[in-house]
Amino acid sequence: MMNKKGEKLISVYWFAILVIVAAGIVLMVNAYYGNSYDVREVESRVLADKIANCIYFGGKVNPLLLTPQGVFREDFRDLFMERCSLNFSVEGEFTRIPYYTSVEFLSFESLRSQFSIFAGNNNFKSDCNIKVEGNEKLAKCSEKEFYMKTDSGKIYLVKILSIVEKTNENTN
Amino acid sequence: MKTQIKKKNQRGQVGETLTWIVATIIILIVLIFFIFGASLLGGTKKVGVFREALTSGETLEGNDIFLKKSLFTYVTLTSETEKTLLDKRFERLDEEGKFDISYTDTRKEILLNYNKR
């Protein structure tokens, strides 16, 4: 009689343990997969790649960037977004633009700025200089550079800075 | 005699109950530890930081279009002075770890492809 009671108790105990372990696994999976992936670094790199390809592709400078005499065209700066097929617009009326990009053309020898283009929200520029632990809430920056040669034989160092904020979408 | 057996049974039952209580506590501690670990790991999820073993030449990590563009400019240069200056700048950038892929290997590959033309 006593043994039967004990066996019943043990079965209930095992059932309780099973439920606890199952609930624990569900919590673990939810805790891990519930958190969103942070893709801002990759997004900023993709943006920099796209701009680089727009400016210099296959060893040829974008013909709309320079005049036949090798002078930078002002209208390329004005129509930069259209020329490079970029669209920074976001949904919502009072939502701030979560992107910023700047392109600087420096002379090869003196490294002096010759021409610059920028677009987007420049409020995030300061985030790039902050080097602290746990900076997930700050915008992610990507600074890239490459050398390009124009048809007239001039060489420029092109520095591209791309910033993606989108903190709410990428962090918890 | 009967009372002695009863007492022994009770002692055994108390011992077994204690074992299970301790076991339950251990199970709960291990579970809480893993839940905490999973939530900590979940917070560090990033796309773009991959282990070397997981990346291949076809992934985003295995490509650096900026280095390739610069090297393409380098091979098309005619002036030796400009080439030497660019070489030095590449080496400095390589030392600073600015390239996503091997500078020497990519340079060899681009030079080889350019000379084939």
Side-chain angles (χ1 to χ4, degrees):
Chain A
M1 192 71 175
M2 280 279 276
N3 271 347
K4 273 191 177 175
K5 246 189 186 179
E7 266 172 33
K8 254 189 184 176
L9 212 70
I10 290 280
S11 313
V12 172
Y13 170 79
W14 274 119
F15 187 73
I17 288 289
L18 201 75
V19 169
I20 289 167
V21 171
I25 291 168
V26 168
L27 275 174
M28 271 185 260
V29 171
N30 187 48
Y32 187 77
Y33 288 103
N35 282 321
S36 51
Y37 276 97
D38 193 349
V39 295
R40 289 174 297 169
E41 267 178 39
V42 174
E43 202 176 350
S44 67
R45 277 172 57 181
V46 169
L47 182 60
D49 284 8
K50 197 170 164 58
I51 294 165
N53 282 334
C54 167
I55 289 163
Y56 193 59
F57 189 77
K60 290 271 170 204
V61 182
N62 189 330
L64 300 167
L65 176 66
L66 297 161
T67 61
Q69 289 78 32
V71 180
F72 287 101
R73 291 171 62 151
E74 287 295 328
D75 64 332
F76 188 86
R77 188 192 343 238
D78 301 335
L79 301 166
F80 172 64
M81 300 292 282
E82 290 83 25
R83 294 272 192 261
C84 289
S85 310
L86 298 172
N87 184 7
F88 287 173
S89 57
V90 281
E91 278 177 28
E93 214 172 318
F94 299 106
T95 322
R96 60 180 181 180
I97 298 167
Y99 300 101
Y100 174 77
T101 185
S102 72
V103 189
E104 204 165 5
F105 298 85
L106 307 154
S107 63
F108 180 60
E109 290 88 10
S110 60
L111 295 176
R112 277 194 192 143
S113 180
Q114 303 295 308
F115 189 67
S116 59
I117 303 165
F118 47 87
N121 190 341
N122 66 358
N123 290 326
F124 308 124
K125 262 180 94 176
S126 53
D127 286 9
C128 302
N129 305 321
I130 302 168
K131 304 265 186 275
V132 286
E133 285 273 321
N135 56 356
E136 282 79 29
K137 296 285 172 195
L138 298 172
K140 296 286 172 194
C141 313
S142 172
E143 275 183 281
K144 296 282 177 186
E145 59 183 53
F146 66 92
Y147 291 89
M148 73 169 196
K149 190 184 158 195
T150 64
D151 290 341
S152 55
K154 268 195 167 183
I155 310 161
Y156 291 99
L157 168 63
V158 184
K159 283 190 172 187
I160 299 172
L161 169 69
S162 54
I163 305 174
V164 177
E165 194 245 352
K166 285 186 168 177
T167 312
N168 295 335
E169 292 90 333
N170 290 276
T171 54
N172 297 289
Chain B
M1 187 74 173
K2 262 190 177 179
T3 38
Q4 265 184 342
I5 293 169
K6 226 181 182 182
K7 259 188 184 176
K8 266 191 182 176
N9 266 347
Q10 268 179 346
R11 262 191 198 174
Q13 273 177 346
V14 169
E16 212 168 301
T17 314
L18 263 176
T19 312
W20 284 115
I21 287 168
V22 172
T24 313
I25 290 166
I26 290 169
I27 289 168
L28 285 175
I29 288 169
V30 169
L31 265 178
I32 289 164
F33 175 76
F34 277 107
I35 291 165
F36 183 67
S39 64
L40 271 186
L41 280 174
T44 60
K45 283 200 296 186
K46 262 185 192 176
V47 174
V49 186
F50 304 107
R51 278 187 212 159
E52 258 180 55
L54 293 175
T55 57
S56 74
E58 285 147 23
T59 59
L60 193 73
E61 285 277 300
N63 201 4
D64 188 341
I65 64 157
F66 300 94
L67 172 64
K68 286 180 179 172
K69 280 181 195 297
S70 295
L71 283 170
F72 198 82
T73 300
Y74 174 81
V75 292
T76 53
L77 288 178
T78 44
S79 160
E80 279 304 315
T81 334
E82 285 173 345
K83 271 193 169 183
T84 319
L85 184 60
L86 202 54
D87 248 337
K88 278 181 189 169
R89 286 191 189 167
F90 283 150
E91 274 163 26
R92 203 192 64 229
L93 286 171
D94 191 31
E95 278 167 19
E96 287 170 5
K98 292 275 171 84
F99 302 131
D100 293 337
I101 48 175
S102 163
Y103 164 63
T104 29
D105 291 348
T106 319
R107 185 193 154 97
K108 266 183 210 165
E109 189 192 316
I110 296 230
L111 280 172
L112 200 76
N113 286 341
Y114 189 75
N115 290 333
K116 267 186 194 170
R117 284 185 181 185

